[in-house]
């Protein structure tokens, strides 16, 4: 059982062009970009729960198309396996992963790293300990990651791309028996445009 307290920092990296050399393959359009990641407003934005016994985390999961093909999609998941009011620990709560993990792997990047379209081997809880990253799915939506971010990476059937900066440290905790924790899918935050019409179009 993974019992250490995890302090959550929700994804809030600003939209900006990367100056780090990298390649990015646009799964939806089949285009290959050299030199830098695209500065589109692709970020999934999950709300923060106002309930002390409920935590909301981003998730990379799968959806099946009408053609029968699988693709990775981004969702916001609410989980309620938390412990509050812990004796001797102020202003904190604990996430209780009761079924535990089979294995934990930590990736330490010594330079900028790009991973083309790929599947993941096991459903996992991913923790970004240092650096910055960008994970994208076929639709063009993305998670922009920084130190302290935590997310579910459970899309084992679809494809995703990933880019991490030099000095990034990412930990993958494989769920025991591939059992994904109980959760509810909740709507993501919608960023209003200047005219108040809703999410800004993807560039």
């Amino acid at each position: 059982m993974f019992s250490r307290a995890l302090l959550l920092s929700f994804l809030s990296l600003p939209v900006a062009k990367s100056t780090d050399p990298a390649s990015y393959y646009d799964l939806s359009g089949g285009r290959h970009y050299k030199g830098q990641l695209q500065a589109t407003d692709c970020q999934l934005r999950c709300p923060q729960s106002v309930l002390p016994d409920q935590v909301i985390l981003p998730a990379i999961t799968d959806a099946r198309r009408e053609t029968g093909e699988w693709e990775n999609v981004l969702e916001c998941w609410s989980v309620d396996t938390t412990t509050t009011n812990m004796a001797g620990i102020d202003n904190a709560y604990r996430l209780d992963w009761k079924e535990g993990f089979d294995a934990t792997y930590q990736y330490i990047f010594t330079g900028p790293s790009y991973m083309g379209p790929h599947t993941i081997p096991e459903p996992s809880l991913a923790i970004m300990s240092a650096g910055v990253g960008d994970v994208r799915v076929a639709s063009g939506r993305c998670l922009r990651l920084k130190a302290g971010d935590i997310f579910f990476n459970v899309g084992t059937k679809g494809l995703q791309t990933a880019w991490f900066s030099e000095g990034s440290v990412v930990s993958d905790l494989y769920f025991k028996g591939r059992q994904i924790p109980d959760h509810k899918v909740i709507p993501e935050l919608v960023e209003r445009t200047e005219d108040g019409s809703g999410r800004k179009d993807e560039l």
Side-chain angles (χ1 to χ4, degrees), residues 40-59:
T40 59
D41 182 20
C42 59
Q43 171 76 339
L44 175 74
R45 295 175 175 88
C46 293
Q48 184 169 354
S49 175
V50 297
L51 303 175
D53 61 346
Q54 189 178 67
V55 173
I56 299 171
L57 293 173

Side-chain angles (χ1 to χ4, degrees), residues 15 18 76-77 98-99 112 131 138 152 176 196:
V15 175
S18 169
C76 298
W77 285 8
K98 297 179 180 179
E99 300 303 322
F152 293 105
K176 183 177 289 185

Side-chain angles (χ1 to χ4, degrees), residues 15 41 43 45 188-193 196-200:
V15 175
D41 182 20
Q43 171 76 339
R45 295 175 175 88
E188 66 174 296
L189 291 174
V190 176
E191 183 179 10
R192 295 293 173 183
T193 57
S197 60
R199 166 175 269 281
K200 290 186 288 187

Side-chain angles (χ1 to χ4, degrees), residues 18-23 34-37 111-114 163-164:
S18 169
T19 57
D20 296 297
S23 297
K34 293 285 189 179
Q36 63 184 14
L37 295 173
S113 178
Y114 168 75
W163 176 87
F164 294 101

Side-chain angles (χ1 to χ4, degrees), residues 59-75 77 137-139 154-159:
I60 305 172
T61 185
D62 290 314
R64 196 168 191 173
R65 298 176 178 174
E66 292 182 357
T67 60
E69 295 178 318
W70 289 88
E71 68 174 69
N72 279 168
V73 295
L74 300 181
E75 296 178 339
W77 285 8
V137 298
S139 66
V154 299
T156 59
K157 298 177 182 178
L159 296 175

Side-chain angles (χ1 to χ4, degrees), residues 70-98:
W70 289 88
E71 68 174 69
N72 279 168
V73 295
L74 300 181
E75 296 178 339
C76 298
W77 285 8
S78 172
V79 295
D80 57 8
T81 55
T82 62
T83 296
T84 58
N85 300 322
M86 295 173 289
I89 304 177
D90 294 330
N91 302 316
Y93 53 86
R94 186 182 70 201
L95 291 178
D96 303 321
W97 307 109
K98 297 179 180 179

